[in-house]
PDB file of all heavy atoms in Angstrom:
ATOM      1  N   PHE M  77      30.782 -35.720 -56.105  1.00 88.00           N
ATOM      2  CA  PHE M  77      30.603 -34.701 -55.218  1.00 88.00           C
ATOM      3  C   PHE M  77      31.765 -33.820 -55.046  1.00 88.00           C
ATOM      4  O   PHE M  77      31.634 -32.561 -54.911  1.00 88.00           O
ATOM      5  CB  PHE M  77      30.262 -35.326 -53.776  1.00 88.00           C
ATOM      6  CG  PHE M  77      28.733 -35.477 -53.482  1.00 88.00           C
ATOM      7  CD1 PHE M  77      28.190 -36.622 -53.872  1.00 88.00           C
ATOM      8  CD2 PHE M  77      27.974 -34.495 -52.887  1.00 88.00           C
ATOM      9  CE1 PHE M  77      26.744 -36.938 -53.790  1.00 88.00           C
ATOM     10  CE2 PHE M  77      26.666 -34.801 -52.728  1.00 88.00           C
ATOM     11  CZ  PHE M  77      26.065 -35.895 -53.191  1.00 88.00           C
ATOM     12  N   ALA M  78      33.000 -34.310 -55.303  1.00 87.00           N
ATOM     13  CA  ALA M  78      34.090 -33.560 -55.369  1.00 87.00           C
ATOM     14  C   ALA M  78      34.220 -32.640 -56.658  1.00 87.00           C
ATOM     15  O   ALA M  78      34.543 -31.391 -56.507  1.00 87.00           O
ATOM     16  CB  ALA M  78      35.436 -34.447 -55.453  1.00 87.00           C
ATOM     17  N   THR M  79      33.565 -33.129 -57.770  1.00 88.00           N
ATOM     18  CA  THR M  79      33.427 -32.332 -58.911  1.00 88.00           C
ATOM     19  C   THR M  79      32.534 -31.047 -58.606  1.00 88.00           C
ATOM     20  O   THR M  79      32.700 -30.128 -59.318  1.00 88.00           O
ATOM     21  CB  THR M  79      33.144 -33.037 -60.199  1.00 88.00           C
ATOM     22  OG1 THR M  79      31.783 -33.480 -60.009  1.00 88.00           O
ATOM     23  CG2 THR M  79      34.038 -34.151 -60.408  1.00 88.00           C
ATOM     24  N   GLN M  80      31.549 -31.268 -57.727  1.00 85.00           N
ATOM     25  CA  GLN M  80      30.518 -30.290 -57.394  1.00 85.00           C
ATOM     26  C   GLN M  80      31.054 -29.320 -56.293  1.00 85.00           C
ATOM     27  O   GLN M  80      30.317 -28.659 -55.715  1.00 85.00           O
ATOM     28  CB  GLN M  80      29.177 -31.050 -56.923  1.00 85.00           C
ATOM     29  CG  GLN M  80      28.591 -31.855 -58.102  1.00 85.00           C
ATOM     30  CD  GLN M  80      28.443 -31.031 -59.292  1.00 85.00           C
ATOM     31  OE1 GLN M  80      27.598 -29.962 -59.222  1.00 85.00           O
ATOM     32  NE2 GLN M  80      28.723 -31.318 -60.456  1.00 85.00           N
ATOM     33  N   GLN M  81      32.327 -29.585 -55.888  1.00 86.00           N
ATOM     34  CA  GLN M  81      32.987 -28.901 -54.867  1.00 86.00           C
ATOM     35  C   GLN M  81      32.371 -29.173 -53.453  1.00 86.00           C
ATOM     36  O   GLN M  81      32.066 -28.147 -52.706  1.00 86.00           O
ATOM     37  CB  GLN M  81      33.172 -27.323 -55.128  1.00 86.00           C
ATOM     38  CG  GLN M  81      33.957 -27.071 -56.363  1.00 86.00           C
ATOM     39  CD  GLN M  81      33.994 -25.641 -56.726  1.00 86.00           C
ATOM     40  OE1 GLN M  81      32.923 -24.970 -56.443  1.00 86.00           O
ATOM     41  NE2 GLN M  81      35.022 -25.153 -57.192  1.00 86.00           N
ATOM     42  N   LEU M  82      31.859 -30.373 -53.215  1.00 86.00           N
ATOM     43  CA  LEU M  82      31.170 -30.676 -51.863  1.00 86.00           C
ATOM     44  C   LEU M  82      32.079 -31.643 -51.219  1.00 86.00           C
ATOM     45  O   LEU M  82      32.451 -32.654 -51.718  1.00 86.00           O
ATOM     46  CB  LEU M  82      29.786 -31.346 -52.200  1.00 86.00           C
ATOM     47  CG  LEU M  82      28.794 -30.386 -52.685  1.00 86.00           C
ATOM     48  CD1 LEU M  82      27.536 -31.254 -53.158  1.00 86.00           C
ATOM     49  CD2 LEU M  82      28.323 -29.572 -51.407  1.00 86.00           C
ATOM     50  N   ASP M  83      32.486 -31.337 -49.985  1.00 84.00           N
ATOM     51  CA  ASP M  83      33.434 -32.154 -49.165  1.00 84.00           C
ATOM     52  C   ASP M  83      32.637 -33.311 -48.409  1.00 84.00           C
ATOM     53  O   ASP M  83      31.567 -33.084 -47.760  1.00 84.00           O
ATOM     54  CB  ASP M  83      33.919 -31.188 -48.119  1.00 84.00           C
ATOM     55  CG  ASP M  83      35.009 -31.974 -47.253  1.00 84.00           C
ATOM     56  OD1 ASP M  83      35.492 -33.065 -47.596  1.00 84.00           O
ATOM     57  OD2 ASP M  83      35.428 -31.444 -46.104  1.00 84.00           O
ATOM     58  N   THR M  84      33.079 -34.430 -48.974  1.00 86.00           N
ATOM     59  CA  THR M  84      32.354 -35.604 -48.501  1.00 86.00           C
ATOM     60  C   THR M  84      33.158 -36.400 -47.312  1.00 86.00           C
ATOM     61  O   THR M  84      32.860 -37.477 -46.974  1.00 86.00           O
ATOM     62  CB  THR M  84      31.982 -36.718 -49.416  1.00 86.00           C
ATOM     63  OG1 THR M  84      33.250 -37.026 -50.073  1.00 86.00           O
ATOM     64  CG2 THR M  84      31.042 -36.024 -50.537  1.00 86.00           C
ATOM     65  N   SER M  85      34.279 -35.694 -46.845  1.00 86.00           N
ATOM     66  CA  SER M  85      35.219 -36.498 -45.960  1.00 86.00           C
ATOM     67  C   SER M  85      34.574 -36.726 -44.533  1.00 86.00           C
ATOM     68  O   SER M  85      34.983 -37.686 -43.890  1.00 86.00           O
ATOM     69  CB  SER M  85      36.498 -35.613 -45.826  1.00 86.00           C
ATOM     70  OG  SER M  85      36.159 -34.379 -45.206  1.00 86.00           O
ATOM     71  N   ASP M  86      33.556 -35.949 -44.253  1.00 88.00           N
ATOM     72  CA  ASP M  86      32.785 -36.126 -42.962  1.00 88.00           C
ATOM     73  C   ASP M  86      31.344 -36.269 -43.298  1.00 88.00           C
ATOM     74  O   ASP M  86      30.535 -35.418 -43.204  1.00 88.00           O
ATOM     75  CB  ASP M  86      33.146 -35.009 -41.964  1.00 88.00           C
ATOM     76  CG  ASP M  86      32.518 -35.207 -40.621  1.00 88.00           C
ATOM     77  OD1 ASP M  86      31.907 -36.216 -40.456  1.00 88.00           O
ATOM     78  OD2 ASP M  86      32.787 -34.353 -39.772  1.00 88.00           O
ATOM     79  N   ALA M  87      31.032 -37.405 -43.737  1.00 90.00           N
ATOM     80  CA  ALA M  87      29.560 -37.781 -44.064  1.00 90.00           C
ATOM     81  C   ALA M  87      28.537 -37.453 -43.030  1.00 90.00           C
ATOM     82  O   ALA M  87      27.574 -36.839 -43.328  1.00 90.00           O
ATOM     83  CB  ALA M  87      29.453 -39.269 -44.521  1.00 90.00           C
ATOM     84  N   PRO M  88      28.799 -37.751 -41.701  1.00 92.00           N
ATOM     85  CA  PRO M  88      27.760 -37.543 -40.695  1.00 92.00           C
ATOM     86  C   PRO M  88      27.526 -35.992 -40.632  1.00 92.00           C
ATOM     87  O   PRO M  88      26.427 -35.529 -40.507  1.00 92.00           O
ATOM     88  CB  PRO M  88      28.375 -38.059 -39.460  1.00 92.00           C
ATOM     89  CG  PRO M  88      29.226 -39.174 -39.861  1.00 92.00           C
ATOM     90  CD  PRO M  88      29.836 -38.684 -41.120  1.00 92.00           C
ATOM     91  N   GLN M  89      28.599 -35.282 -40.700  1.00 90.00           N
ATOM     92  CA  GLN M  89      28.575 -33.678 -40.608  1.00 90.00           C
ATOM     93  C   GLN M  89      27.711 -33.299 -41.913  1.00 90.00           C
ATOM     94  O   GLN M  89      26.932 -32.280 -41.692  1.00 90.00           O
ATOM     95  CB  GLN M  89      29.882 -33.075 -40.541  1.00 90.00           C
ATOM     96  CG  GLN M  89      29.889 -31.600 -40.289  1.00 90.00           C
ATOM     97  CD  GLN M  89      31.138 -30.821 -40.259  1.00 90.00           C
ATOM     98  OE1 GLN M  89      32.102 -31.364 -40.646  1.00 90.00           O
ATOM     99  NE2 GLN M  89      31.094 -29.764 -39.624  1.00 90.00           N
ATOM    100  N   LEU M  90      28.083 -33.836 -43.049  1.00 90.00           N
ATOM    101  CA  LEU M  90      27.431 -33.371 -44.220  1.00 90.00           C
ATOM    102  C   LEU M  90      25.862 -33.625 -44.131  1.00 90.00           C
ATOM    103  O   LEU M  90      25.011 -32.778 -44.487  1.00 90.00           O
ATOM    104  CB  LEU M  90      28.053 -33.978 -45.507  1.00 90.00           C
ATOM    105  CG  LEU M  90      27.422 -33.625 -46.867  1.00 90.00           C
ATOM    106  CD1 LEU M  90      27.443 -32.209 -47.094  1.00 90.00           C
ATOM    107  CD2 LEU M  90      28.195 -34.344 -47.995  1.00 90.00           C
ATOM    108  N   PHE M  91      25.542 -34.878 -43.677  1.00 93.00           N
ATOM    109  CA  PHE M  91      24.160 -35.116 -43.462  1.00 93.00           C
ATOM    110  C   PHE M  91      23.491 -34.188 -42.570  1.00 93.00           C
ATOM    111  O   PHE M  91      22.319 -33.699 -42.916  1.00 93.00           O
ATOM    112  CB  PHE M  91      24.040 -36.595 -42.966  1.00 93.00           C
ATOM    113  CG  PHE M  91      22.622 -37.021 -42.868  1.00 93.00           C
ATOM    114  CD1 PHE M  91      21.894 -37.597 -43.908  1.00 93.00           C
ATOM    115  CD2 PHE M  91      21.862 -36.947 -41.656  1.00 93.00           C
ATOM    116  CE1 PHE M  91      20.746 -38.056 -43.925  1.00 93.00           C
ATOM    117  CE2 PHE M  91      20.534 -37.383 -41.596  1.00 93.00           C
ATOM    118  CZ  PHE M  91      20.036 -38.002 -42.693  1.00 93.00           C
ATOM    119  N   ALA M  92      24.130 -33.811 -41.558  1.00 92.00           N
ATOM    120  CA  ALA M  92      23.534 -32.899 -40.471  1.00 92.00           C
ATOM    121  C   ALA M  92      23.378 -31.600 -41.084  1.00 92.00           C
ATOM    122  O   ALA M  92      22.474 -30.901 -40.815  1.00 92.00           O
ATOM    123  CB  ALA M  92      24.454 -32.918 -39.294  1.00 92.00           C
ATOM    124  N   LEU M  93      24.269 -31.049 -41.935  1.00 90.00           N
ATOM    125  CA  LEU M  93      24.183 -29.839 -42.471  1.00 90.00           C
ATOM    126  C   LEU M  93      22.960 -29.787 -43.661  1.00 90.00           C
ATOM    127  O   LEU M  93      22.302 -28.810 -43.689  1.00 90.00           O
ATOM    128  CB  LEU M  93      25.453 -29.291 -43.277  1.00 90.00           C
ATOM    129  CG  LEU M  93      26.571 -29.056 -42.195  1.00 90.00           C
ATOM    130  CD1 LEU M  93      27.901 -28.844 -43.100  1.00 90.00           C
ATOM    131  CD2 LEU M  93      26.329 -27.783 -41.499  1.00 90.00           C
ATOM    132  N   LEU M  94      22.781 -30.970 -44.265  1.00 93.00           N
ATOM    133  CA  LEU M  94      21.711 -30.957 -45.108  1.00 93.00           C
ATOM    134  C   LEU M  94      20.339 -31.148 -44.534  1.00 93.00           C
ATOM    135  O   LEU M  94      19.394 -30.737 -45.023  1.00 93.00           O
ATOM    136  CB  LEU M  94      21.915 -32.165 -46.162  1.00 93.00           C
ATOM    137  CG  LEU M  94      23.207 -31.980 -47.085  1.00 93.00           C
ATOM    138  CD1 LEU M  94      23.422 -33.361 -47.823  1.00 93.00           C
ATOM    139  CD2 LEU M  94      23.027 -30.904 -48.117  1.00 93.00           C
ATOM    140  N   ASP M  95      20.396 -31.679 -43.339  1.00 94.00           N
ATOM    141  CA  ASP M  95      19.133 -31.923 -42.628  1.00 94.00           C
ATOM    142  C   ASP M  95      18.712 -30.699 -41.838  1.00 94.00           C
ATOM    143  O   ASP M  95      18.890 -30.644 -40.650  1.00 94.00           O
ATOM    144  CB  ASP M  95      19.269 -33.176 -41.755  1.00 94.00           C
ATOM    145  CG  ASP M  95      18.035 -33.424 -40.895  1.00 94.00           C
ATOM    146  OD1 ASP M  95      16.904 -33.045 -41.359  1.00 94.00           O
ATOM    147  OD2 ASP M  95      18.113 -34.324 -39.902  1.00 94.00           O
ATOM    148  N   THR M  96      18.312 -29.628 -42.637  1.00 90.00           N
ATOM    149  CA  THR M  96      18.077 -28.313 -41.921  1.00 90.00           C
ATOM    150  C   THR M  96      16.879 -28.220 -41.036  1.00 90.00           C
ATOM    151  O   THR M  96      16.959 -27.454 -40.067  1.00 90.00           O
ATOM    152  CB  THR M  96      17.815 -27.404 -43.079  1.00 90.00           C
ATOM    153  OG1 THR M  96      16.733 -27.760 -43.945  1.00 90.00           O
ATOM    154  CG2 THR M  96      19.024 -27.134 -43.990  1.00 90.00           C
ATOM    155  N   ASP M  97      15.964 -29.322 -41.080  1.00 91.00           N
ATOM    156  CA  ASP M  97      14.831 -29.142 -40.137  1.00 91.00           C
ATOM    157  C   ASP M  97      15.111 -30.129 -38.876  1.00 91.00           C
ATOM    158  O   ASP M  97      14.299 -30.131 -37.985  1.00 91.00           O
ATOM    159  CB  ASP M  97      13.474 -29.541 -40.712  1.00 91.00           C
ATOM    160  CG  ASP M  97      13.564 -30.985 -41.406  1.00 91.00           C
ATOM    161  OD1 ASP M  97      14.369 -31.740 -41.224  1.00 91.00           O
ATOM    162  OD2 ASP M  97      12.453 -31.214 -42.079  1.00 91.00           O
ATOM    163  N   GLY M  98      16.219 -30.834 -38.995  1.00 90.00           N
ATOM    164  CA  GLY M  98      16.617 -31.582 -37.795  1.00 90.00           C
ATOM    165  C   GLY M  98      15.692 -32.816 -37.597  1.00 90.00           C
ATOM    166  O   GLY M  98      15.715 -33.429 -36.427  1.00 90.00           O
ATOM    167  N   LYS M  99      15.078 -33.405 -38.524  1.00 93.00           N
ATOM    168  CA  LYS M  99      14.097 -34.425 -38.329  1.00 93.00           C
ATOM    169  C   LYS M  99      14.913 -35.791 -38.570  1.00 93.00           C
ATOM    170  O   LYS M  99      14.303 -36.820 -38.343  1.00 93.00           O
ATOM    171  CB  LYS M  99      12.960 -34.309 -39.308  1.00 93.00           C
ATOM    172  CG  LYS M  99      11.964 -33.226 -39.007  1.00 93.00           C
ATOM    173  CD  LYS M  99      10.851 -33.155 -40.053  1.00 93.00           C
ATOM    174  CE  LYS M  99       9.823 -32.080 -39.606  1.00 93.00           C
ATOM    175  NZ  LYS M  99       8.810 -32.072 -40.655  1.00 93.00           N
ATOM    176  N   GLY M 100      16.089 -35.834 -38.920  1.00 94.00           N
ATOM    177  CA  GLY M 100      16.829 -37.051 -39.177  1.00 94.00           C
ATOM    178  C   GLY M 100      16.755 -37.712 -40.425  1.00 94.00           C
ATOM    179  O   GLY M 100      17.170 -38.677 -40.647  1.00 94.00           O
ATOM    180  N   SER M 101      16.095 -36.906 -41.443  1.00 96.00           N
ATOM    181  CA  SER M 101      15.990 -37.355 -42.801  1.00 96.00           C
ATOM    182  C   SER M 101      16.094 -36.006 -43.672  1.00 96.00           C
ATOM    183  O   SER M 101      15.805 -35.021 -43.154  1.00 96.00           O
ATOM    184  CB  SER M 101      14.742 -38.076 -43.052  1.00 96.00           C
ATOM    185  OG  SER M 101      13.549 -37.351 -42.842  1.00 96.00           O
ATOM    186  N   ILE M 102      16.340 -36.296 -44.998  1.00 96.00           N
ATOM    187  CA  ILE M 102      16.524 -35.102 -45.898  1.00 96.00           C
ATOM    188  C   ILE M 102      15.526 -35.254 -46.957  1.00 96.00           C
ATOM    189  O   ILE M 102      15.456 -36.190 -47.562  1.00 96.00           O
ATOM    190  CB  ILE M 102      18.031 -35.072 -46.405  1.00 96.00           C
ATOM    191  CG1 ILE M 102      18.999 -35.186 -45.402  1.00 96.00           C
ATOM    192  CG2 ILE M 102      18.141 -33.948 -47.325  1.00 96.00           C
ATOM    193  CD1 ILE M 102      20.446 -35.415 -45.834  1.00 96.00           C
ATOM    194  N   GLY M 103      14.676 -34.205 -47.167  1.00 95.00           N
ATOM    195  CA  GLY M 103      13.683 -34.031 -48.239  1.00 95.00           C
ATOM    196  C   GLY M 103      14.499 -33.613 -49.423  1.00 95.00           C
ATOM    197  O   GLY M 103      15.613 -33.143 -49.372  1.00 95.00           O
ATOM    198  N   MET M 104      13.881 -33.794 -50.580  1.00 95.00           N
ATOM    199  CA  MET M 104      14.456 -33.465 -51.767  1.00 95.00           C
ATOM    200  C   MET M 104      14.786 -31.907 -51.888  1.00 95.00           C
ATOM    201  O   MET M 104      15.961 -31.646 -52.325  1.00 95.00           O
ATOM    202  CB  MET M 104      13.392 -33.687 -53.039  1.00 95.00           C
ATOM    203  CG  MET M 104      14.169 -33.413 -54.394  1.00 95.00           C
ATOM    204  SD  MET M 104      13.141 -33.685 -55.887  1.00 95.00           S
ATOM    205  CE  MET M 104      13.007 -35.484 -55.748  1.00 95.00           C
ATOM    206  N   GLU M 105      13.936 -31.001 -51.442  1.00 93.00           N
ATOM    207  CA  GLU M 105      14.301 -29.712 -51.464  1.00 93.00           C
ATOM    208  C   GLU M 105      15.531 -29.312 -50.436  1.00 93.00           C
ATOM    209  O   GLU M 105      16.395 -28.509 -50.834  1.00 93.00           O
ATOM    210  CB  GLU M 105      13.036 -28.781 -50.994  1.00 93.00           C
ATOM    211  CG  GLU M 105      13.342 -27.290 -51.122  1.00 93.00           C
ATOM    212  CD  GLU M 105      12.092 -26.443 -51.006  1.00 93.00           C
ATOM    213  OE1 GLU M 105      11.051 -26.916 -51.318  1.00 93.00           O
ATOM    214  OE2 GLU M 105      12.188 -25.410 -50.469  1.00 93.00           O
TER     215      GLU M 105
END
Side-chain angles (χ1 to χ4, degrees):
F77 274 84
T79 65
Q80 298 299 306
Q81 298 179 331
L82 288 164
D83 182 13
T84 62
S85 62
D86 189 355
Q89 182 181 26
L90 179 57
F91 183 85
L93 290 170
L94 293 173
D95 182 18
T96 56
D97 62 10
K99 292 182 178 178
S101 62
I102 304 168
M104 186 178 294
E105 188 172 325

